[in-house]
Amino acid sequence: MCGKEITPSRYSLCGNCMFDQNDNYCIRCGRHKVGIGDYCGECKNETIYFDEARSAVNYTEGAQNVVWRMKYGDARYMARPLAQYMIDVLVRTDWAFDCFSFVPPDKKRVRRRGYNQAEMLANELAALTNKPCVNLLEKVKTTINQARLTRQERLVNLIDAFKAKCVPPEHVVIVDDVMTTGATLNECAKSLKKDGAKIVYALTFASVPEKPLTDEPVQNIHDFRPQ
């Protein structure tokens, strides 16, 4: 995160760096939520095909930095330490599953980049467990880059973009680097269930937190007390 040399460790961070841990999460989409309820305000009324989702950290500045370096800077070595964070989340769930799989990329992007970061993370997770990584999905529709789209446009952009390459196992964990709106993982789960999967979980290194209900600065009760 800071670029300084460190002694090798399980998480590959120095003592001055840390990620924003995703603790107060929505029990449906797994992203950090605002408030004390079980669900975030963004997914409680959505049709969600994956059964549960979890992410290790919030997609804030530190996580953005490492994900972009792994994704666009050819820093493939970062897949192992990021997978360590994901394993820590996985062991706190009660998920029973047959295999890991991953979000399939656009073929043009893979040719340009040379690798699929989601597949790398899934392979690292398989290496850290006794579960295999299986290539279950393919992308069959050319889509616009999700980063340029609004939430609603993302949902429409990915409709019928994926299909199963074979009959999937009954219980699958789909892996990706970041969950933004959840549209990509949702369409992957939809395709797997259409072809036979019964339970589909989603696991990511990071997720974009729910936006606060207001952008106004929070005021403390002490601000209203006479001095």
Side-chain angles (χ1 to χ4, degrees):
M1 291 175 68
C2 64
K4 295 181 180 179
E5 186 174 355
I6 62 170
T7 302
S9 66
R10 184 171 188 264
Y11 297 108
S12 299
L13 290 180
C14 73
N16 296 320
C17 292
M18 65 180 64
F19 292 116
D20 181 12
Q21 300 294 314
N22 180 27
D23 296 323
N24 183 35
Y25 55 83
C26 170
I27 64 174
R28 292 190 78 195
C29 71
R31 296 184 300 157
H32 175 80
K33 59 182 173 59
V34 176
I36 60 174
D38 289 335
Y39 304 98
C40 73
E42 296 184 16
C43 80
K44 62 183 179 182
N45 296 319
E46 299 281 352
T47 300
I48 295 180
Y49 293 95
F50 53 77
D51 293 270
E52 286 184 21
R54 294 289 182 271
S55 59
V57 304
N58 294 320
Y59 194 54
T60 50
E61 185 177 359
Q64 290 173 3
N65 182 16
V66 298
V67 167
W68 274 70
R69 283 167 58 198
M70 181 179 69
K71 198 168 183 175
Y72 302 112
D74 200 29
R76 309 183 195 196
Y77 61 89
M78 297 177 73
R80 171 57 65 96
L82 299 195
Q84 296 281 10
Y85 285 91
M86 298 167 73
I87 281 289
D88 286 354
V89 172
L90 187 64
V91 298
R92 294 197 295 269
T93 71
D94 60 356
W95 296 354
F97 59 96
D98 302 306
C99 70
F100 295 101
S101 193
F102 50 88
V103 173
D106 184 280
K107 293 179 181 178
K108 290 183 179 179
R109 291 182 192 139
V110 169
R111 285 197 296 268
R112 183 168 61 249
R113 190 178 301 158
Y115 58 94
N116 174 14
Q117 74 283 350
E119 182 177 2
M120 290 171 55
L121 289 170
N123 279 320
E124 291 292 348
L125 290 167
L128 292 167
T129 65
N130 62 352
K131 301 295 184 180
C133 175
V134 184
N135 187 357
L136 296 176
L137 290 161
E138 63 179 326
K139 193 170 185 182
V140 294
K141 171 184 169 184
T142 302
T143 57
I144 302 170
N145 191 328
Q146 291 281 92
R148 305 171 186 172
L149 305 178
T150 65
R151 178 181 178 83
Q152 190 57 42
E153 288 171 338
R154 286 169 184 253
L155 298 175
V156 174
N157 186 45
L158 288 168
I159 292 176
D160 297 328
F162 307 103
K163 76 172 185 178
K165 300 173 70 172
C166 58
V167 177
E170 291 188 350
H171 303 87
V172 181
V173 175
I174 291 290
V175 174
D176 204 1
D177 53 349
V178 179
M179 175 190 282
T180 305
T181 63
T184 301
L185 290 161
N186 204 38
E187 282 296 317
C188 288
K190 178 182 175 182
S191 297
L192 290 174
K193 288 191 170 181
K194 179 180 178 181
D195 283 276
K198 293 183 178 179
I199 302 291
V200 178
Y201 301 112
L203 180 64
T204 62
F205 167 67
S207 58
V208 175
E210 180 186 16
K211 294 180 180 178
L213 300 178
T214 175
D215 292 329
E216 296 296 324
V218 176
Q219 290 183 298
N220 193 290
I221 191 171
H222 295 291
D223 297 336
F224 300 97
R225 290 176 178 169
Q227 300 297 318

